[in-house]
Amino acid sequence: MNWARRVFVATLVTLGSACAMKHEQFPMPEGRACPAPDALGAATDLSLSWYSPVRSGDQKALAEWCTTVGPAVVDSIPAEGFSGWQSGDSLAVVTWNLHGGAGDLLGFIDRELGLSCGEGSREPRTHFSSFVLLIQEAFRRSEVVPVVADGPTLPPPLKEKPRPGPRVDIVEVAQRCGLSLFYVPSMRNGAEETEGGREDRGSAILSTLPLSDLIAIELPFEAQRRVAVAATVHNSSRDSVRVVSVHLDVASSLLRLLTTGNSTRQRQGLAIEDALLETELVRAGVADSSHEARCYPYCSNEVTPRFNATTIVGGDFNTWSVHETVIKHFYREFPDSPPHDGEPTRGAYPTDFLFFRRGFEAQAGLVPDSHRLVQDSYHSDHKARIVWLR
Amino acid sequence: MRISNSLRATAALAATLLLAATSTHAQEGSDWARVGGGALGLYSGAALGTVGSLIPCSQTYAGARCVRGIGVVSGLVGLTAGFYLGDLDEDAVVDAYRGAGYGLLIGSAAGVVLKEVVERYNWADVAATGLVGAAIGSSAKGAAIGFAAGSVVGLGLFWAIPSFEMPNAVGVAVMGMALGGISSWVVRSFEADQASLTAQPVVLSYRIAM
């Protein structure tokens, strides 16, 4: 029966292609940003590169969410007085989901990293060393966050448990401590004003070191707009480390879950890997990003590219298991990562990770056995992870 | 409350499934039964395979590709079994459609409840819950047996193996339901095959000694 055979083949093709979703990223043209440079007088920051998903459906959704947030904050030079990352010294890298204003970031910096930040003064303690903080769910309260009507692109504010002390936003923390800051909002933190101001929230990098080569990676749209942020820090011998702060979606809708085969975090994770690879190629002057070009001359084989930049990725991957697909991919792409200790970081779930890849001919590497969980959550709903590089 | 197009479509589909089931006369080997059985088997198999593989595949490197592969294979098993069932026993196909209609209604009702309690659960998700209900309803008995067996195995593994997490136990239960549902299509077509063999007229020849 010819028709039966045709139905069989058509079915096979339809089912096979039903849930294939692109994750590839492309660099946005110079000067384009989110929100648009002319919105709210936001200046075009040419030191900031944007990557966005190639799929037009993702771009459309991201553009709608983008109109609800304020511009990125770039303050790439820390205050004077920090000694820099001397060759042979250790650099602490921390990943922590603050849960908006719930996490006591000033307390964390004081007690875990040895930098006391008072009103208008800061004081490094004896156990202080240079550090990089990879932050998720940081909030910013500002006039530049636009007034917009309530709607599906405005998520409700984070449900923070009350804690002692004031809610201090990420910009004020950076100013009080004299840290360099790179903050890119992903979404609004509620439609209404909180404590006299409108708020947005997103990922950030804070450091005692100057930040350069700033990159914002808009992830494929699944449930909410997410933006990963990346920057580069250097030590005194010009060894560079790219640091990336990541926050993936918890879950997409049931319909999307079924039609994409539960690819939410896998797709967003692969997009980050793709954008980092594109970045390497662009920095290396390789214009053609075809598969062959990608593998030459930076790949020893088709699987393991030889990256120039040492890279550390930290963030809230929103996983319920250390065996999830996205985690398997990251351990493969970041083969020098510290082994997971099996400890949960949010309730019973291991959501937060630090991944590491030593660059081609790079000197800096992880200090052995330095990876640990910070047991005190400092009032956030997540615990932080910390690792030392030398 | 505004009811979206997706919910209207779900309600229309439920009505169509139930009407199709009640208005069809039993007829062995009709085109309707073959095509209808194959289509429902395909849908039910693909949907159950997808749902059942979501959690186990999320623990593999392949991830969504693993889900897609299992969905395709399950759909093809359902298509073959449903087509064969329709060829042999139209009544069984009618029963499957009736079950799918009831499953769609029950699933949609469950979806409406979930919409009230789960954040960001929209009308499209309610429709999706109904469609999963239809897939389960078309092979309800097998799915129920599979779910019960999967739950026992999942909980047993959860208690016995410390590294086996509760979401994995849930995954085994759902996988059991999917396997039970898909198996039920194969079992029904096998039973129809057996019944058609025993129902054939037996010709006895006698040699009469003259």
Side-chain angles (χ1 to χ4, degrees), chain A residues 52-92:
Chain A
S52 197
V54 294
R55 195 172 155 267
S56 59
D58 289 325
Q59 288 179 27
K60 187 168 174 282
L62 291 168
E64 286 169 5
W65 280 66
C66 176
T67 58
T68 66
V69 297
V73 180
V74 177
D75 188 2
S76 57
I77 308 296
E80 288 179 7
F82 293 116
S83 59
W85 182 19
Q86 304 302 321
S87 194
D89 282 356
S90 296
L91 172 74

Side-chain angles (χ1 to χ4, degrees), chain B residues 4 11 21-22 28 38 43 47 54 75 82 96 99-100 105 110-111 124 154 157 166 175 192 196 205:
Chain B
S4 73
T22 51
E28 208 170 281
Y43 168 69
L54 284 174
L105 290 175
L157 290 170
M166 183 45 96
M175 192 169 67
S196 70
S205 58

Side-chain angles (χ1 to χ4, degrees), chain A residues 11 16 223 254 266 325 328 332, chain B residues 42 58-61 64 68 125:
Chain A
T11 304
L254 177 67
Q266 179 184 352
T325 306
K328 286 181 190 288
R332 189 176 180 194
Chain B
L42 167 70
S58 76
Q59 305 283 290
T60 66
Y61 189 80
R68 197 155 66 230
D125 295 327

Side-chain angles (χ1 to χ4, degrees), chain A residues 174-225:
Chain A
Q175 285 169 350
R176 276 203 208 176
C177 297
L179 303 172
S180 56
L181 168 67
F182 176 34
Y183 165 74
V184 179
S186 296
M187 66 190 89
R188 281 292 283 271
N189 193 32
E192 304 297 320
E193 291 195 357
T194 310
E195 295 170 16
R198 292 180 294 280
E199 292 182 359
D200 55 21
R201 63 182 195 246
S203 297
I205 299 173
L206 287 164
S207 181
T208 57
L209 304 173
L211 302 174
S212 61
D213 205 1
L214 306 174
I215 304 164
I217 305 166
E218 275 191 304
L219 304 187
F221 188 85
E222 289 289 335
Q224 295 179 318
R225 180 172 179 263

